[in-house]
Amino acid sequence: MSAFPPIRCLFTKPAIPSRFLGRSFHPSKSLNARRRKRKFPSLKALELGAIKQFPAYSKANKKALAEKYNPAQIAAIEAGEVAIDPVDLAQQGALREDTMGLDYLDDLSEIHPIVDKPIRAPESNHDPNLRLKEEDELTDDLVNWFRSLPEEPSGDEWTKFDENLRLTVGKEEAEHNSPSSLAPELPVLPSFVQKSTDDNHEKVEVSPAMRRVALQTGYSISQIKRFRVKLLVTRRVVNQTKLGKIGSMYFLSVAGNGKGMLGFGEAKSTEGFGAREMSYLNAVKNMRAIPRYEERTIFGDVRGKVGGTELELMTRPPGISDLAARVTRSRNPMNTVKAAMQALLSQQLPEDLARARGKKLVDVRKVYYNGLT
């Protein structure tokens, strides 16, 4: 057995165990040595006076509290103030002045008409036979008021009559404090319009396609004709077949009722007039309800992407034009219309967002309208 180590041991570096880390020799100083020492010692908030120690109640304060609260309530108020740390009160009890701050203070004694649940009237106030007064009944009330006027009436007589005049027949509680927000049905008035007895009057012809759309959608023919329609894209396209090139016309139209319903339709035919009518009817058939809030066009920035077209719709302050748009990349007119429709349908109502986040509706309005409510 040889007493000399192997030759490879003379030229190789001995292995260092992983637990013994080698010290890295670097000319720069360590992190602790590079840290600058502070010239001034750190001061606490109590020393700066940022946190105020609230004094205890004086005899005059307790006397003023005793006029409004009983002794048990005063003891509860004092115990609650002792339990609150002055540091938390100074840091979290201040009113926010940023854009996300609230515009109101909750005193929990009044009901907010928008964000809180209102107190409904009792069901005993409901009157199923409640109806609006007819013209003769209102005239009788006015005549009786004239007869009851004194010889020298004051200027407040008409105001009192207007405030106390009842517009319905039935329970008075059902009119002034009804548990339901539904108004009574309108009275049936006699028709003064004479129906035409001439059977030879002109009849407007309705195309079979329009009748088919009316059956599919449930709209009447008069409703379909009252919808707003606008032709946006018109193009001539050519289809190459074995018989040669066959030309046709392409139309893209949008339709809506001006109250939140919107749709677009496409059609292509060798006859231009037929394709244009079919694009209009397809837009009516494809109309969808766009979520709206407070009669605004959109209530948040939304995006849509179809193919190579990317579109962004941005909110603006309320007014005549409360919408701005930006189209990036491709500006294909057909894809732009489809991306705008996709963006409008992807909105979420502020009520749903507030309910999901556990916040009040007023807090979410600040985010969506950029501080303008």
Side-chain angles (χ1 to χ4, degrees), residues 29-336:
K29 297 181 180 180
S30 61
L31 183 61
N32 295 330
R34 280 182 287 169
R35 288 179 178 172
R36 296 181 180 180
K37 296 183 178 180
R38 297 178 179 177
K39 296 182 181 180
F40 304 99
S42 59
L43 299 177
K44 296 183 178 180
L46 288 173
E47 298 176 3
L48 293 175
I51 300 176
K52 299 179 181 180
Q53 297 289 345
F54 297 95
Y57 285 111
S58 61
K59 294 182 178 179
N61 296 338
K62 291 184 177 180
K63 185 177 180 181
L65 289 175
E67 297 177 357
K68 191 173 183 180
Y69 304 102
N70 55 31
Q73 292 175 338
I74 295 177
I77 292 174
E78 293 178 348
E81 292 184 356
V82 171
I84 297 176
D85 191 1
V87 178
D88 296 340
L89 187 62
Q91 294 178 352
Q92 304 179 11
L95 296 178
R96 298 180 58 174
E97 298 180 353
D98 54 338
T99 57
M100 299 298 295
L102 303 179
D103 291 341
Y104 60 90
L105 296 176
D106 280 340
D107 58 356
L108 304 180
S109 62
E110 297 181 358
I111 293 179
H112 198 281
I114 297 178
V115 299
D116 294 330
K117 186 177 180 181
I119 298 177
R120 297 189 179 276
E123 293 295 335
S124 59
N125 292 358
H126 177 65
D127 186 3
N129 300 323
L130 187 70
R131 64 173 180 84
L132 293 174
K133 287 185 177 180
E134 298 181 358
E135 186 177 359
D136 297 338
E137 295 173 336
L138 293 175
T139 305
D140 294 340
D141 293 341
L142 185 61
V143 171
N144 295 332
W145 173 71
F146 268 113
R147 291 176 178 175
S148 62
L149 282 176
E151 296 181 358
E152 297 181 358
S154 61
D156 299 335
E157 295 294 337
W158 171 257
T159 305
K160 295 178 181 179
F161 171 74
D162 188 26
E163 292 178 352
N164 300 326
L165 177 63
R166 290 197 54 191
L167 303 177
T168 59
V169 177
K171 285 185 178 180
E172 185 176 359
E173 297 84 2
E175 178 179 350
H176 299 294
N177 192 16
S178 175
S180 174
S181 59
L182 297 178
E185 296 183 359
L186 294 175
V188 179
L189 301 177
S191 178
F192 298 99
V193 180
Q194 295 181 357
K195 297 183 179 180
S196 176
T197 57
D198 188 8
D199 297 334
N200 298 325
H201 63 278
E202 269 187 40
K203 292 185 178 180
V204 181
E205 295 184 1
V206 180
S207 62
M210 184 176 292
R211 293 186 182 277
R212 193 182 314 115
V213 172
L215 292 174
Q216 292 174 351
T217 58
Y219 299 123
S220 62
I221 301 297
S222 59
Q223 286 179 329
I224 295 176
K225 291 182 178 181
R226 285 197 301 266
F227 287 145
R228 300 178 184 178
V229 61
K230 185 176 181 60
L231 182 64
L232 296 181
V233 182
T234 304
R235 286 191 176 182
R236 183 179 182 275
V237 295
V238 177
N239 185 20
Q240 181 67 42
T241 64
K242 62 181 180 179
L243 301 177
K245 295 181 180 180
I246 300 177
S248 57
M249 296 298 296
Y250 169 85
F251 294 93
L252 187 145
S253 304
V254 292
N257 62 350
K259 298 180 181 179
M261 296 293 292
L262 181 66
F264 72 92
E266 301 172 286
K268 184 172 64 172
S269 176
T270 54
E271 298 180 0
F273 179 77
R276 183 171 183 172
E277 184 184 5
M278 284 305 301
S279 67
Y280 161 55
L281 295 177
N282 288 337
V284 173
K285 186 169 59 176
N286 297 332
M287 282 200 308
R288 299 291 182 270
I290 304 298
R292 302 180 68 192
Y293 183 73
E294 292 184 350
E295 298 300 326
R296 306 198 182 180
T297 309
I298 59 174
F299 41 82
D301 297 350
V302 290
R303 296 171 181 251
K305 183 179 183 301
V306 174
T309 303
E310 295 182 356
L311 179 135
E312 181 180 4
L313 301 179
M314 297 159 288
T315 55
R316 287 296 178 264
I320 298 176
S321 56
D322 58 351
L323 175 69
R326 182 189 298 116
V327 180
T328 57
R329 296 180 62 188
S330 174
R331 295 198 174 186
N332 187 308
M334 288 83 76
N335 289 345
T336 302

Side-chain angles (χ1 to χ4, degrees), residues 99-101 103 362-373:
T99 57
M100 299 298 295
D103 291 341
V362 188
D363 304 340
V364 185
R365 283 164 55 99
K366 286 288 185 181
V367 180
Y368 278 93
Y369 298 144
N370 298 326
L372 299 172
T373 57

